[in-house]
Amino acid sequence: MSRSMPSVAPSILAADFARLGEDVARVSLAGADYIHIDIMDGVFVPNITMGPSTVSSIREYSKLPFIAHLMITHPERHIKAFADSGSDIIEVHIEAEQDLVKTLRSIRDHGKKAALAVNPPTAIENAFPYLREIDLLLIMSVNPGFGGQSFIESSLPKIGIAKKEMERQGSSVPVEIDGGINGKTGELAALAGADILAAGSYVFKADDMPAAIRTLRACGSSKH
Ligand code: DX5
Ligand code: ZN
């Protein structure tokens, strides 16, 4: 069965932070569909990355939609800052301490797309009550905090389960998968129904960045 090709969202966590603007421009020219920006606070996850001022600084280097993946506690305190920074899609974690419905509505009230992220140990069913509040669902295929980790295969069935529930509820939002994505795991994810592949190391460490992006976009389109 043929299905539409997945979109590609390179994660700049694997970029050169001393040349972040140039790397954002380079990956955009290489054929990316989105720029995936990992925001970590050292509390929700053990690592610290960047904040809204960095997002504002790189905004002018690309016309692509920016996805701000907020791996932070109390994301509701920072929605305005990330909206003002030029993020187009704001992803918050179901596991983060917050009033989730309020946070998701605040993202939409700021004119941005709201997304819900689900960690590997969290049952996907926990996201079902929020499907109407979101514009995108992010299924994590690593435990968040660091790039370059191995893909957790048990995340795959969550994609189909979520899509089936969306159908049942009469809603349909794209599913992004994030963590350990390469040509091989991207294929598995695309065949499982993923619409957007987020990939850090595979894209930024590639010798040929446009080829790496083309490989990801072709995932799931081979005949089986
Ligand atoms: C993990 C981040 C991912 C990560 C992906 O906490 O949310 O977006 O950067 O990196 P790779 O593709 O190297 O696993
Ligand atoms: Zn991410």
Side-chain angles (χ1 to χ4, degrees), residues 38-55:
D38 289 310
I39 310 295
M40 307 187 188
D41 67 352
V43 180
F44 181 70
V45 288
N47 198 3
I48 300 178
T49 55
M50 57 191 126
S53 56
T54 309
V55 180

Side-chain angles (χ1 to χ4, degrees), residues 11 13 36 38 40 69 71 140 144-148 178-180 199-201:
S11 158
L13 187 60
H36 182 103
D38 289 310
M40 307 187 188
H69 177 193
M71 287 160 276
M140 292 303 299
F146 300 92
D178 180 19
S201 328

Side-chain angles (χ1 to χ4, degrees), residues 38-212:
D38 289 310
I39 310 295
M40 307 187 188
D41 67 352
V43 180
F44 181 70
V45 288
N47 198 3
I48 300 178
T49 55
M50 57 191 126
S53 56
T54 309
V55 180
S56 304
S57 308
I58 57 175
R59 186 57 276 190
E60 63 179 296
Y61 288 83
S62 174
K63 289 191 171 18
L64 295 178
F66 276 12
I67 301 176
H69 177 193
L70 305 189
M71 287 160 276
I72 64 176
T73 191
H74 285 297
E76 76 279 5
R77 295 176 185 165
H78 306 278
I79 298 308
K80 184 182 180 327
F82 281 100
D84 290 348
S85 75
S87 308
D88 299 285
I89 301 171
I90 300 180
E91 305 180 325
V92 298
H93 270 265
I94 194 166
E95 302 86 1
E97 203 177 308
Q98 66 190 303
D99 179 338
L100 186 52
V101 171
K102 222 170 135 187
T103 308
L104 294 170
R105 289 187 182 163
S106 147
I107 296 171
R108 284 180 163 178
D109 287 347
H110 281 90
K112 307 298 177 181
K113 288 188 172 165
L116 186 59
V118 179
N119 277 342
T122 303
I124 193 65
E125 286 75 9
N126 292 356
F128 290 178
Y130 308 101
L131 291 176
R132 292 189 167 283
E133 305 284 346
I134 62 177
D135 304 296
L136 185 148
L137 178 66
L138 173 62
I139 295 180
M140 292 303 299
S141 42
V142 297
N143 286 306
F146 300 92
Q149 303 184 75
S150 302
F151 185 80
I152 298 174
E153 281 211 19
S154 56
S155 302
L156 285 174
K158 288 180 173 179
I159 304 171
I161 297 171
K163 293 224 154 174
K164 214 166 156 187
E165 177 64 15
M166 286 175 198
E167 214 178 296
R168 200 189 67 77
Q169 293 190 18
S171 73
S172 162
V173 299
V175 175
E176 179 182 12
I177 190 152
D178 180 19
I181 293 290
N182 53 37
K184 215 170 129 192
T185 55
E187 180 75 11
L188 298 175
L191 289 173
D195 303 290
I196 304 172
L197 305 175
S201 328
Y202 181 71
V203 171
F204 280 97
K205 310 291 179 223
D207 292 332
D208 185 342
M209 194 183 263

